[in-house]
Amino acid sequence: MKRILGYKCTICGREYPFGPELMTCPHCGEKGILDIVYDYKEVGKTLTKESLAANRDNSMWRYRDLMPVAETTDVSKFLRIGWTPLYESVSLRNELGIKALYVKDDGLNPTASLKDRASGVAVAKAIELGYDTISCSSTGNAASSCAGSAARMGLKAVIFVPERAPEGKVSQLMIFGAKLVSVKGDYKATFDLSKAAIEKYGWYNRNAGINPVMIEGKKTVSLEIAEQLNFKPTDWVACSVGDGCTIGGVYNGFKDLYELGLIDRIPKILGVQSTGCCPFVDAVAAGRELLPTEENTLADSIAVGVPRNPVKALRAVEASGGKWIAVSDDDILATMRILGRTEGVFGEPAGVTATAGVIAAVKAGIIKSDESVTTISTGSGLKDVKNALRAAGKPTKCDPDLAALEASGILN
Ligand SMILES: *Cc1c(COP(=O)(O)O)cnc(C)c1O
Ligand SMILES: [Zn+2]
């Protein structure tokens, strides 16, 4: 692929050609997460504001010049991933007293989370490289998205989830016909088992922490945000963080556009975690390495005690001049209600965590009143109905007559 110069290790800086495909740096081992390096001169020949304006492919594949997928791979049969709406918020913006607020609703992807972006690329790569089985471990959404894209493209999927995964996500996996392993243990135990099995059976590895192509799908969320804002992105972009791959992708997308000269600055990135599991926030506050953390949050998608992609996540916040912030589970539940009521956006707990972080960052004076913000809702609330009902409360019961309706108090 002429557009791709090769891999570069995020730890030792060693560079490698793009073929054969690598998972991690041969020199550094599993910690040696790789970046894919593009030849922006080459990419810029075909990817321009004008070419995008004329492009009628309303999916993430409109950016395939910036994705590590071969020109010969036919992506037209894939699930329709990406090009999710970016809503301008008026009521929540006014409540917060900031210049502008946009909500990117990535819960509207085909399997209802941002993870579809990575899974689409993974399935494309697996097919391109001749695999018949794809595998991953996941807190739930990577799993369901991987199973959905695999089902659509006729690939077998073997999926490992911790037994705590919410039923909504598990039901998606069962419907998509994946071989589902519900691991009696936490996410770390789940990841380790998947790793051992992938090594033993030689399946394609969709683990987002380490596979360098995953982030290249996730970054399309930023490419879209920028294009939807006429290449004038907001001052801040907020994103919830578990493994750290999503926020790494958010940064990479803006970085690509900056290198191509399509935007003139990279937004500050706000990394948001739950106080019940915030290894990044703790590490940055204490100025030390990440330490394994308990996974005590109802935001299951970001309950990651041992993040697999710390380098790219830390880089995203630092290089963009952003900030890390943690919010409580109560704040997350409250934000589920706030986002639902002010914008009509129904996010799962981890999905609304970025917005909870924006609210906290405005209160803390980190986000200023003259600044604009985009918040990414990373997954749909329908995936976790139990917590949604916890956030919103139970409906009012009523006998089927008007007098009972009035007596119920619901109309007051
Ligand atoms: C996976 C996920 C995240 C966090 O992404 P990481 O790459 O693990 O940091 C946030 N929200 C939702 C809904 C997710 O599924
Ligand atoms: Zn290395």
Side-chain angles (χ1 to χ4, degrees):
M1 268 173 257
K2 235 165 79 189
R3 312 173 271 116
I4 296 180
L5 295 172
Y7 298 102
K8 186 168 184 193
C9 176
T10 55
I11 306 267
C12 72
R14 280 186 173 78
E15 294 179 25
Y16 305 94
F18 193 58
E21 309 256 338
L22 293 176
M23 207 41 83
T24 50
C25 171
H27 183 256
C28 300
E30 202 194 309
K31 282 208 153 54
I33 308 265
L34 298 168
D35 274 323
I36 291 174
V37 186
Y38 291 86
D39 181 343
Y40 291 111
K41 257 215 176 108
E42 196 60 37
V43 174
K45 285 183 190 163
T46 46
L47 191 87
T48 60
K49 286 183 191 175
E50 294 69 35
S51 73
L52 286 171
N55 190 338
R56 298 183 60 185
D57 178 355
N58 285 339
S59 79
M60 69 168 182
W61 300 111
R62 63 196 278 106
Y63 307 108
R64 65 179 291 171
D65 289 350
L66 278 170
M67 294 159 88
V69 173
E71 279 72 13
T72 46
T73 298
D74 178 9
V75 293
S76 66
K77 296 185 179 62
F78 275 68
L79 293 173
R80 201 261 334 150
I81 299 168
W83 205 250
T84 55
L86 182 74
Y87 297 120
E88 182 170 11
S89 154
V90 177
S91 42
L92 185 53
R93 178 205 63 196
N94 288 344
E95 246 170 71
L96 290 173
I98 54 175
K99 190 168 128 199
L101 179 67
Y102 297 88
V103 182
K104 177 74 168 164
D105 189 1
D106 245 44
L108 291 176
N109 274 303
T111 77
S113 85
L114 185 146
K115 296 286 195 301
D116 280 326
R117 298 178 186 272
S119 289
V121 176
V123 166
K125 283 320 278 187
I127 294 170
E128 211 172 286
L129 298 170
Y131 287 84
D132 69 352
T133 303
I134 186 165
S135 180
C136 74
S137 68
S138 157
T139 55
N141 284 333
S144 43
S145 67
C146 185
S149 273
R152 169 88 191 133
M153 297 309 290
L155 209 60
K156 282 180 261 182
V158 184
I159 308 289
F160 298 80
V161 294
E163 60 183 343
R164 63 150 203 256
E167 270 189 337
K169 299 177 186 180
V170 172
S171 66
Q172 285 183 297
L173 284 161
M174 302 305 291
I175 287 291
F176 293 140
K179 277 202 169 69
L180 177 62
V181 188
S182 175
V183 180
K184 297 182 191 162
D186 60 7
Y187 177 52
K188 180 181 180 305
T190 308
F191 184 93
D192 290 343
L193 178 62
S194 79
K195 184 169 166 261
I198 289 167
E199 264 164 33
K200 172 142 193 218
Y201 303 111
W203 303 319
Y204 186 75
N205 184 348
R206 185 244 176 260
N207 280 330
I210 53 180
N211 185 335
V213 310
M214 300 293 94
I215 204 168
E216 302 299 310
K218 289 185 175 180
K219 77 181 180 187
T220 58
V221 72
S222 298
L223 304 177
E224 287 175 18
I225 289 169
E227 192 181 351
Q228 287 167 322
L229 291 172
N230 280 322
F231 300 95
K232 296 205 166 45
T234 45
D235 297 300
W236 288 88
V237 173
C239 174
S240 56
V241 181
D243 264 322
C245 176
T246 305
I247 194 170
V250 167
Y251 174 72
N252 278 17
F254 289 120
K255 177 84 170 13
D256 281 347
L257 294 176
Y258 182 78
E259 296 288 345
L260 284 165
L262 297 182
I263 57 174
D264 51 24
R265 67 179 164 81
I266 294 172
K268 292 178 271 193
I269 296 175
L270 185 72
V272 190
Q273 298 202 282
S274 163
T275 48
C277 183
C278 55
F280 282 105
V281 177
D282 288 345
V284 171
R288 55 153 169 79
E289 299 249 296
L290 273 78
L291 298 178
T293 307
E294 280 193 49
E295 298 171 352
N296 280 328
T297 170
L298 55 77
D300 66 289
S301 300
I302 53 167
V304 181
V306 182
R308 301 290 159 172
N309 214 328
V311 179
K312 289 186 186 176
L314 291 167
R315 176 178 69 189
V317 173
E318 196 181 315
S320 70
K323 276 270 190 277
W324 287 97
I325 198 165
V327 292
S328 69
D329 278 7
D330 282 346
D331 288 342
I332 291 172
L333 288 178
T335 307
M336 281 180 85
R337 278 195 308 274
I338 293 170
L339 210 50
R341 286 166 199 197
T342 58
E343 307 304 335
V345 170
F346 185 15
E348 67 166 270
V352 307
T353 297
T355 307
V358 169
I359 296 171
V362 170
K363 276 190 194 141
I366 295 167
I367 295 175
K368 307 276 189 305
S369 58
D370 62 348
E371 290 186 309
S372 56
V373 181
T374 301
T375 180
I376 304 171
S377 179
T378 43
S380 163
L382 283 175
K383 286 177 172 274
D384 188 355
V385 173
K386 211 171 87 204
N387 276 316
L389 287 172
R390 231 164 115 179
K394 294 268 176 336
T396 306
K397 294 241 161 103
C398 175
D399 286 322
D401 63 71
L402 264 181
L405 177 65
E406 278 168 24
S408 73
I410 186 99
L411 305 179
N412 298 340

